[in-house]
Amino acid sequence: MTMNDQPGKNEFERVCKTLPPVEVDCSGWESDIPDEAWSTGEFVSPTVALPAVEADCSHWLDEPATWLELVIAFNDHTSPADALESTNQLIGAVHAEAPRLGLAYDFRHSRREGEDLILALRPTGAGTEQELRDLAARVRLPHAAPFKRTAARVGHGAA
Amino acid sequence: MADRVTPTVRLVFACDKADIDPGDQKWVLKHPWSVVVLPPGAAFPFQADNVRVYAQFTGGVGTFELAVELFQVRDDDSRRWVGRSVPATLDFPGGQQLLAFDTAFQIKKARFREPGIYEFRATVDGHQLEGAHFLLRVLDRWA
């Protein structure tokens, strides 16, 4: 089945008003060259029509099977500003460690566990679950203040 | 609400054919252009019998004198003005800024004096509209 054979339901309806064509005669342009000097005809567009590219996006909002979890605890009396800045730096460093995974903040799985903050980062790019595991094993997380404790692990969705 | 709001060009490009389908009164476009070559036996300076430029506008309120201008793009990215069409009057009713209005300029005898890049711009009342414009590379032959 080609794209053009898809059933019409669930398709966008275009909101547009068709205006009549506007005819333009340009024969007076570039008049410094005499009319008889102009070669005439129709342009040829030498493109090659490739087959349509189908993209199934139905899984875009699916629950991810696995994600990276950063476990963070802050020292007592850490200011909110320090906590936010350090967390941002941490996420940036982890993302830079494996850019092809396209790690993005996962608000559904980010949570609090006791005094630990669990930051979930969901892969949105290429990569396998094993790459996520490798990243969790190798990524070097800061342990100095304002962090009391940091760790990386892989979280799992319901099977 | 303002009496007059200048529209924005959302889409503009040339193509092989642009016709209104009599069945649903919508534009049917064939084979959008990015590069064109002269037909066999032709040479510069070249006058194209027909160039069809589809354009879609949104956000306008009021009546405007709509035209299309052609520029030759020089190597230093400056423009050499080639010509401007006779303006056509286009009315954008109030309260319909989200509605797209589309038309096609059926440009006859457009002149291209040498190979290079040419730019089509939509203008109203002599001023270039914000939004899209169209660059066409014109070659004398396909390599």
Side-chain angles (χ1 to χ4, degrees), chain A residues 14 18-21, chain B residues 17-29 102 106:
Chain A
R14 185 165 163 266
T18 303
L19 300 172
Chain B
K17 291 181 69 176
D19 297 299
I20 295 177
D21 184 329
D24 59 9
Q25 294 296 307
K26 294 181 179 178
W27 283 101
V28 178
L29 311 172
D102 60 353
Q106 314 276 21

Side-chain angles (χ1 to χ4, degrees), chain A residues 14-24 26-27 29-30 32 35 37-47, chain B residues 25 27 31 35-37 39 42-43 45 47 49-50 54 80 85 90 99-100 102-108 111 113:
Chain A
R14 185 165 163 266
V15 182
C16 199
K17 183 175 181 184
T18 303
L19 300 172
V22 177
E23 295 204 3
V24 178
C26 311
S27 52
W29 294 3
E30 303 279 43
D32 58 316
D35 286 348
W38 293 86
S39 180
T40 62
E42 297 267 7
F43 278 127
V44 178
S45 178
T47 55
Chain B
Q25 294 296 307
W27 283 101
H31 197 182
V35 181
V36 290
V37 297
Q47 175 180 285
D49 290 343
N50 288 288
Y54 171 81
R80 186 183 71 84
S85 71
L90 189 61
L99 191 63
D102 60 353
T103 186
F105 295 91
Q106 314 276 21
I107 301 173
K108 299 181 182 303
R111 291 180 163 182
R113 66 167 61 207

Side-chain angles (χ1 to χ4, degrees), chain A residues 83-137:
Chain A
L84 179 61
E85 183 180 17
S86 303
T87 303
N88 268 337
Q89 290 172 353
L90 185 65
I91 293 174
V94 173
H95 184 276
E97 182 75 24
R100 80 184 224 106
L101 290 173
L103 293 174
Y105 180 70
D106 183 342
F107 70 92
R108 292 184 62 186
H109 296 107
S110 295
R111 61 197 183 277
R112 177 178 183 170
E113 287 183 357
E115 66 171 0
D116 290 340
L117 175 66
I118 311 300
L119 274 179
L121 300 177
R122 177 169 48 93
T124 61
T128 63
E129 181 176 340
Q130 186 58 47
E131 286 180 71
L132 211 55
R133 293 182 184 285
D134 293 344
L135 175 63

Side-chain angles (χ1 to χ4, degrees), chain A residues 43 46, chain B residues 33-37 115-118 134-139:
Chain A
F43 278 127
Chain B
W33 290 0
S34 61
V35 181
V36 290
V37 297
I117 297 175
Y118 290 81
F134 174 65
L135 294 175
L136 177 66
R137 182 180 294 275
V138 179
L139 305 174

